[in-house]
Amino acid sequence: MAKLSKRFWFQLHGWFSLPVWVLFCFICVTGTISVISHELTWLTNSQARASNPDNLPEQSKQALIDSLIKEHPTADVMSVLSYEPYLVNAIIFTDTDKPYATAYVNQYTGEVQAVYQTTSFIEFMRTLHSWLYFPWQEGYSVGYYLVSAMAFVTLGALVTGLIIYKSFWRAFIQPKIRFNQGSKTLLKDLHTMGGVWSIWFMAIMSLTGLWYLAQAIMWHNEIDIEEHAPIVSEAQLPSASTAKAIDLDSAISITKNQFSEFTPTYIMLPEHNRGMYSIMGAGDTIFYDGYAYSTAINPWTGEIASSKSPETMSTLQTLSHIADPLHYGTIGGIWTKIIWFLFGVILSGMSITGFMMYSKKLVKAKLPSPVTINDTAEAN
C-alpha cells in the first residue's frame, strides 16, 4: 500500500509538469527575464541610458515635456513614466504622423535621446510573461488566465514533491549532486536540490499567481479593485475661456505635500477640460509597488479630488499593490532582483529536468521486461 501511495504521488507530481511543461517553462523563462528587464535594457540600448557625467540635478517633469514639445511642436502628451535612476523617462504622446509614440528623454540633461513607435523591451517582456500577448476583450484575456493558472501547477508540484521527498531538509545540511553515477542520478539530484532550495520561491510564485488569477476573475466580472478616476464637475469649470490650468509641476508638488518621500513613477495628463492629473508613485514602503501612492488633482482649482496610500487601502487594493514586488523581486532593489533571477533560472531548469526524468520513466515503463521476452521465446 505504501508503494502504491508513493507511485500515485510520483505520477501526480509528474503530471503537474509533463502535460504543460512547455508552457510552464516558457512562463518561467519569460518571468525570469522580466525580473532584470530594466537592467537588460540599460545594457543593450544606449538610448535608454540616463547618462549624467556632470552630476546634474534631475529636471522637472514639465521641463522634460517642454523639451519634447520643442522637437515635436504638435505632440499631444498623454503620460510620463519613470523607471530606475539610470534609465531615461518615457513620455507617451501622439502626433500628426505618430498615432502612438514613446520619447526617451534624459531627466538630467533634458535631451530627447530617441523616439519609438514600437513596444519597449520592458513592456514586451512583461506582456509576454503576463498574458502571452493574447488579446483583451470584455475585461478578460485567455492568456492572462493561462499564465495565472500556472500557480496551480507550481503549488501542485511543490506539495507533491514534498510528499515524495519526505526528508527534504537533508538537502540543506547534506547536499549532494552525484556526477559519476549516470545521467538519471544526476538529473534526480539536480531536480531535488533545486526543488528543496526553491521551496520559499515556489511558495511565493504560487501565492502571487493565485492572486493574479483571482484578480483576473474580478476584472472579468466587473468587480472594481481600484476606484474610477474622478472628473471635474461642471460647477468647477472656469467661466472664462482664458482661464489657465495649473501646470504639471504644481500638481506634483501638491502630491508631495500630501505624501512624505513621494517619488512619481507614472503620470497621466488631463485628456480634456474635465480631466484631472493622475499622479502615481512610490513612498517609503518597500513591500508596495511603485503605484501605491496616488492622487487625482483638479487642474483648475489645485484641489486633491482623491488620494490613495497604503494606510487607506482596502484589503484587495493592498494585495494588488504588494503582489508585483513579491512576484518580481523588486522589494530590495538590485540585490533581491538578482536573487529572484537566480531562483527563476533554477525553477526554469527544474521544469526541464522534471520533464526529462518523467519522460525517461515513461519510456522505461513501455519497454518489454526480460521476463516477458523469455516467456515469449519459450512459448514459440
Side-chain angles (χ1 to χ4, degrees):
M1 192 69 181
K3 290 184 177 179
L4 289 175
S5 177
K6 187 173 182 180
R7 181 182 179 185
F8 167 78
W9 288 114
F10 181 83
Q11 289 179 334
L12 184 61
H13 182 74
W15 278 106
F16 270 118
S17 58
L18 182 62
V20 293
W21 83 275
V22 175
L23 178 61
F24 182 74
C25 184
F26 180 80
I27 291 171
C28 288
V29 171
T30 54
T32 301
I33 296 173
S34 295
V35 167
I36 58 169
S37 59
H38 290 184
E39 290 70 24
L40 290 176
T41 297
W42 185 89
L43 284 171
T44 59
N45 188 352
S46 60
Q47 294 175 322
R49 298 172 190 165
S51 301
N52 187 19
D54 298 324
N55 293 320
L56 299 171
E58 186 172 340
Q59 295 188 19
S60 69
K61 303 302 180 186
Q62 187 63 54
L64 301 183
I65 293 175
D66 292 341
S67 296
L68 173 64
I69 298 299
K70 286 181 181 179
E71 295 192 16
H72 300 271
T74 57
D76 182 14
V77 175
M78 297 184 292
S79 56
V80 182
L81 289 81
S82 303
Y83 298 105
E84 311 287 351
Y86 52 81
L87 292 177
V88 295
N89 280 201
I91 299 180
I92 313 300
F93 70 100
T94 61
D95 209 340
T96 53
D97 60 340
K98 297 177 181 65
Y100 184 89
T102 303
Y104 285 2
V105 185
N106 189 312
Q107 62 267 34
Y108 306 108
T109 65
E111 177 187 358
V112 180
Q113 297 183 175
V115 174
Y116 293 99
Q117 296 188 65
T118 56
T119 303
S120 69
F121 177 74
I122 296 171
E123 185 180 354
F124 171 78
M125 289 309 307
R126 285 295 179 96
T127 302
L128 187 63
H129 173 66
S130 299
W131 58 87
L132 307 171
Y133 267 93
F134 276 71
W136 284 82
Q137 52 186 359
E138 298 179 0
Y140 78 96
S141 168
V142 173
Y144 198 96
Y145 276 122
L146 283 174
V147 173
S148 54
M150 291 300 104
F152 290 112
V153 176
T154 308
L155 184 61
L158 173 61
V159 173
T160 55
L162 290 176
I163 292 173
I164 294 169
Y165 190 33
K166 298 183 184 298
S167 303
F168 65 88
W169 57 86
R170 291 179 181 173
F172 292 113
I173 58 178
Q174 296 176 339
K176 61 178 180 179
I177 299 178
R178 293 164 287 185
F179 293 95
N180 57 351
Q181 296 187 23
S183 60
K184 181 180 177 181
T185 301
L186 178 60
L187 284 175
K188 179 181 179 296
D189 288 348
L190 289 173
H191 188 80
T192 301
M193 189 68 61
V196 171
W197 284 88
S198 299
I199 289 174
W200 67 274
F201 186 73
M202 293 176 69
I204 291 176
M205 295 302 107
S206 301
L207 294 175
T208 52
L210 290 174
W211 163 250
Y212 292 139
L213 180 59
Q215 189 173 244
I217 295 172
M218 285 186 281
W219 288 340
H220 196 171
N221 291 276
E222 299 182 352
I223 299 174
D224 294 327
I225 299 175
E226 304 285 353
E227 297 179 358
H228 291 287
I231 60 174
V232 177
S233 65
E234 292 186 10
Q236 291 178 314
L237 290 175
S239 56
S241 59
T242 57
K244 190 176 181 180
I246 64 172
D247 62 12
L248 176 57
D249 290 343
S250 298
I252 293 175
S253 178
I254 293 170
T255 304
K256 287 184 175 180
N257 290 334
Q258 177 78 1
F259 305 122
S260 61
E261 299 185 32
F262 176 82
T263 303
T265 57
Y266 183 72
I267 299 166
M268 290 184 63
L269 277 66
E271 297 181 4
H272 44 74
N273 66 340
R274 294 187 64 183
M276 295 196 181
Y277 288 111
S278 181
I279 302 173
M280 305 177 191
D284 56 356
T285 52
I286 63 171
F287 286 104
Y288 289 81
D289 62 19
Y291 313 103
Y293 295 81
S294 65
T295 59
I297 306 295
N298 188 321
W300 305 108
T301 64
E303 296 177 350
I304 299 177
S306 67
S307 65
K308 181 187 65 184
S309 67
E311 292 78 15
T312 62
M313 287 181 184
S314 65
T315 301
L316 292 180
Q317 288 173 338
T318 299
L319 291 173
S320 179
H321 286 280
I322 66 174
D324 274 7
L326 290 172
H327 194 77
Y328 292 101
T330 58
I331 54 177
I334 185 64
W335 298 111
T336 50
K337 281 186 179 184
I338 292 173
I339 294 173
W340 260 244
F341 172 77
L342 292 175
F343 278 91
V345 172
I346 293 173
L347 187 57
S348 302
M350 285 172 57
S351 68
I352 296 173
T353 57
F355 167 74
M356 294 174 67
M357 290 167 57
Y358 198 73
S359 60
K360 284 179 179 290
K361 190 82 171 179
L362 291 178
V363 170
K364 183 178 179 181
K366 290 180 180 179
L367 291 175
S369 65
V371 175
T372 304
I373 294 173
N374 292 336
D375 290 346
T376 303
E378 290 175 3
N380 292 333

